[in-house]
Each structure stands twice: as structure tokens, then as C-alpha cells.
Amino acid sequence: MRPLPRSLDPLPDETLAGYILRLAHRLGTSPGAVAIRTGLTGHRKENVLFRVPIRFLHHLEPEQIQTFARATRLAPEKVSCLLTSSLAERYGPLSEKFTPRKSAARMVNDNAWLLTRTPRYCPQCLVGDGSQIQQLHGGSWQCSWRLPPVFACTKHRRLLRIGCPTCRQPVHAVELNGIIARPWDEELHPTQCRTTTAPRTVGRLQPACGAQLAELDGALSDELPDVHTLEHLLGLQQRLQHLLDSVGPAMTPCVGWLIPAADYFADLRALLGLVFLSWPVARPFAATPALAAALDHDAEQRHARATALRGRPGKKRSSRPYTDPPLDPLLMGAVLGIAERLLDADDEEQARERMLPLIHQASDVDYALSFYLRRKAWISFPMRIVAMNHVSHMAPMHKIIARGPIPKGGREESKSKGYSRASRSRLRGG
């Protein structure tokens, strides 16, 4: 495959979809044409109605990486960095260790902990850094915006957006399960809303929304939470992004242990489900009254959806209302703040004191789901020490050994997985 006449260097933390949008804009052609020229054509069935398959957001085969690299004159390593699989080493919900799916398609499809349909975004980041190339083609559509735990922009001190302020629809809403909306539209700038706002008529695609999403003063147009709530959310986001950063700490404190970053995000995922399933038991752990009130409303809606699903015939999927992360950035920050506080225990004894009421309540609501959230393939080894006990046979707190029982094969497992116990003073550098 011949190289394209011109190319672009990827921006930091840029997605494959965002890179294609910027490259197509520079070449004066459509994203679909660029996708074909770079080998992103999928299988024959996927080309009947052209699309760039969702799995390409996450993973490309080695020969596909080589083809794309030749066409764009990029090093293969730079192409790999455009994929969300590059985040899997630190982000448990994309790791085969905690999400045991054998193919890229299975890892992406129906994985609520990767935002495949539409990203969140920061309007001010989309403006770019002021360089000539970003003035022309916009800033980066960031890979990390595809991760539910990334809900705020610490640089611009604001929550991310989840939709277009003009059409009120998710931005870049795709058809036919692709990663690029309107792939044959040559007119749209990479920072414009690509959502089609009216149904397609026979043989004719309706116009796109086309609203400009990049805003220098974007933070001023949104309703911000109160100062204490915003400061809490920005601090939480900064800590989580530090763990996602490839040069950030490889290990982090969790219930008195040091565990890998990927394990920590897996524990956050499990605790999110446990918090919603047991709500309002976890309410006292909310950082501010505003966050507690927001979760009251959301949890009520989740319980109602789960009840309705249980009452329908066929496959119920009644667990999804509890385990799916909120799209709303405020709600996501609120529930992750509670999960962080639960994990920030000095040791297993303190962690049990915090989590046992949630586990008991969750088991009363849905025992099977409560047990599922605490299974081996879902949480870290130290979390299993805290939550492994069968609820109906849970020993009284004063009879539980402070350091916790070691699960079967536990000492060898903790050593092989890189876990280690650490005192709070050591974690703080004391």
C-alpha cells in the first residue's frame, strides 16, 4: 500500500478515530477514504455498508498496524499508542486478567467500561495548544476520554461534557457500530459535532448537527458544581489519571496493600456495582452533600430499572443498572470518590468495617450479583481477603484476624501477582 501524499504526527493521548478525522481534514478528503487507504476496511460483511469496526478503536492486528504505519509514515509504536489497548496494562477493565475475553471484538463489545459509542470531551482541549497544526485541525480527541473513570479535565478545571450543547445528542454518535460517524462526510471539521440529527430518508443521509464543540471559554458555559464538590472531583481525577499515566506509579495503596494500578481500577469497578446495589448504605462516604444528593436520585432510578428488568421474560440483564458506570461526569466522580474512600483503609480490618454493611445489604437485594462482584476474576487478591467470606457464614468482626484470612493458595498468589503488604506510614513515605 502506497503512503498517503501527506501525513500528521499523532497528538498526545490521541485515539485512532480522532487521528483519522484530523488526517482526513488535512488531506481534504473524507475519513472513510483515509480508512480505506490505510487498510482499516474490516471484513467483507463490514464493507457491505462501509464502517471502521468498533474493535479497531481498541486493537489492530500486527499486519494492520504495519499497513497503517506505512500509509501514514508513522512508526508502528506510534500507531499502537492510538489504540485503547495501550491503556490495558494500567486499566483493569481492559485487561484480560480482569475481563477474560479472548478477542478484541469481545473485549470491546458490551464492555460498559469502555465508551465505544460516544466519548466525553473537554471543549477547551479541542481548541488545541495554539500551534499552527492544531489551529488548522483542532486538538486531540483523547484516548483517556473513552475510559469512564476519566470524568474531568484537571488542566482546565472542569467536568467533561457528554453531549453536544446544540443538538443535545451524544457527539459523534455512530451508525452501524463503527468508530467514525458519517465516514463519507468531507465538510465537517474534526471538532464539529458529527451526529445526524434527523432520521435517514431512503437513499439520502440527513445533514449533521455540525456545531463547533471546541470552545476557548467552554468552562463558563456549563453549570459547575459548588467549590468544595469541584475541588474534590478534580483531586480525585488527578489521582486516577496519575495511575493511568504510563510514567505514573506502578503500584498504589489498597486496603493496606500495594497493588498494581490495573488491579486498583478493577476494584473500583467492583465497588461501583456494590455501592449502587447497596445504596443508601454507602451514602455517608459521599464527599459532599451535593454528591450524595445526586447519587440518591441516580440510585433510585437504577433500582427501578433493575426491578423492571427482573419482571420481563427472557434474558433479563438486571445486573446492568447496578454495574454500568454513569455517563454523567458528576455522578461518575461521586461514586468513584466513595469507592476510593472504601479502598483507602489502613488494613483489611478497617476495610471490612467499611464494606461489610454494603456487602450484607447488597446480598439481601441480589445475592448472585453481590457474589459475582467479589469473585476471583473481578477483583484483586487483597480485596478478596476483605470480601471473600460467604455472607451467611461471616464471622463476627472481633473474631476476624486483623490481617485477614489468606485465600486458598493465597501466599503464593500474592507473591506471584506482585502484591505486598504495606503500613500506612510506609505508603506515605514515613
Side-chain angles (χ1 to χ4, degrees):
M1 184 170 289
R2 291 183 302 169
L4 294 166
R6 284 176 292 173
S7 187
L8 279 175
D9 287 328
L11 299 177
D13 194 30
E14 187 166 30
T15 61
L16 179 66
Y19 178 77
I20 292 173
L21 291 178
R22 290 195 313 115
L23 181 55
H25 189 257
R26 187 180 190 198
L27 295 172
T29 188
S30 69
V34 170
I36 290 176
R37 287 289 305 275
T38 54
L40 303 181
T41 55
H43 301 309
R44 287 185 178 180
K45 289 183 179 180
E46 293 166 334
N47 288 327
V48 173
L49 292 172
F50 176 80
R51 64 189 175 99
V52 181
I54 284 179
R55 68 178 183 277
F56 289 177
L57 178 75
H58 178 67
H59 174 79
L60 295 175
E61 297 298 331
E63 59 271 19
Q64 292 172 319
I65 290 179
Q66 291 293 337
T67 299
F68 191 91
R70 284 195 299 271
T72 56
R73 301 186 181 92
L74 296 177
E77 295 77 15
K78 287 192 174 183
V79 178
S80 297
C81 288
L82 296 169
L83 309 172
T84 57
S85 58
S86 64
L87 305 173
E89 184 177 349
R90 287 178 170 267
Y91 183 60
L94 290 181
S95 167
E96 293 182 0
K97 175 181 176 182
F98 293 109
T99 307
R101 303 182 181 193
K102 295 183 179 180
S103 68
R106 284 182 55 81
M107 179 64 76
V108 170
N109 291 335
D110 207 31
N111 185 350
W113 285 77
L114 177 65
L115 302 178
T116 55
R117 303 294 178 181
T118 183
R120 298 184 183 123
Y121 67 100
C122 171
Q124 290 157 283
C125 286
L126 289 181
V127 172
D129 61 2
S131 63
Q132 183 179 10
I133 200 72
Q134 293 191 43
Q135 285 179 354
L136 290 173
H137 310 299
S140 170
W141 283 95
Q142 298 177 22
C143 263
S144 58
W145 291 345
R146 294 282 183 168
L147 306 184
V150 178
F151 53 86
C153 175
T154 56
K155 177 180 179 180
H156 296 112
R157 297 184 55 78
R158 57 163 297 139
L159 299 180
L160 299 183
R161 275 187 182 161
I162 56 174
C164 170
T166 299
C167 70
R168 302 296 177 183
Q169 299 296 316
V171 298
H172 293 191
V174 296
E175 298 177 341
L176 302 173
N177 296 328
I179 66 171
I180 296 177
R182 305 174 65 92
W184 298 113
D185 197 324
E186 300 181 6
E187 304 300 322
L188 294 170
H189 189 273
T191 59
Q192 285 182 277
C193 178
R194 303 183 72 86
T195 298
T196 303
T197 55
R200 180 196 293 267
T201 57
V202 177
R204 189 179 185 88
L205 185 63
Q206 295 294 328
C209 166
Q212 179 54 251
L213 302 174
E215 299 177 10
L216 282 169
D217 59 346
L220 301 178
S221 64
D222 293 336
E223 184 178 347
L224 293 175
D226 65 85
V227 173
H228 294 298
T229 296
L230 182 60
E231 289 299 327
H232 164 74
L233 294 175
L234 292 176
L236 171 63
Q237 186 65 90
Q238 189 170 32
R239 293 189 292 274
L240 294 179
Q241 284 187 307
H242 195 39
L243 290 179
L244 289 170
D245 195 322
S246 60
V247 297
M251 309 290 285
T252 190
C254 177
V255 298
W257 291 66
L258 286 173
I259 68 172
D263 297 54
Y264 188 80
F265 283 102
D267 288 349
L268 290 178
R269 175 184 61 179
L271 281 175
L272 179 142
L274 192 63
V275 166
F276 281 126
L277 187 58
S278 64
W279 195 265
V281 176
R283 195 179 195 278
F285 292 103
T288 70
L291 295 177
L295 287 173
D296 283 337
H297 179 66
D298 189 53
E300 182 181 2
Q301 292 183 323
R302 287 171 180 262
H303 282 293
R305 290 200 302 273
T307 300
L309 288 171
R310 291 191 197 102
R312 75 176 189 180
K315 195 168 186 178
K316 303 182 186 304
R317 295 183 178 272
S318 59
S319 65
R320 295 296 296 266
Y322 299 119
T323 59
D324 283 1
L327 286 177
D328 185 296
L330 180 75
L331 292 171
M332 191 64 193
V335 69
L336 288 183
I338 291 176
E340 181 191 53
R341 187 172 177 186
L342 292 170
L343 294 178
D344 192 36
D346 290 341
D347 52 36
E348 300 98 313
E349 175 73 8
Q350 187 180 74
R352 279 200 184 94
E353 290 178 354
R354 295 177 180 180
M355 294 186 199
L356 275 180
L358 279 68
I359 293 173
H360 281 298
Q361 177 63 22
S363 298
D364 288 342
V365 174
D366 189 331
Y367 176 79
L369 178 56
S370 171
F371 191 80
Y372 179 90
L373 292 172
R374 294 177 283 130
R375 74 195 194 284
K376 180 178 180 180
W378 201 250
I379 58 175
S380 70
F381 170 78
M383 263 291 287
R384 281 192 289 126
I385 291 179
V386 173
M388 65 172 287
N389 299 49
H390 193 291
V391 173
S392 61
H393 299 99
M394 190 76 72
M397 184 59 64
H398 68 278
K399 292 185 178 181
I400 296 177
I401 300 172
R403 283 297 185 184
I406 300 296
K408 185 178 180 180
R411 295 189 187 279
E412 290 301 318
E413 180 180 349
S414 66
K415 183 177 179 180
S416 65
K417 301 299 183 183
Y419 303 121
S420 62
R421 295 186 188 275
S423 66
R424 179 60 56 178
S425 62
R426 176 184 167 190
L427 296 176
R428 290 174 174 168

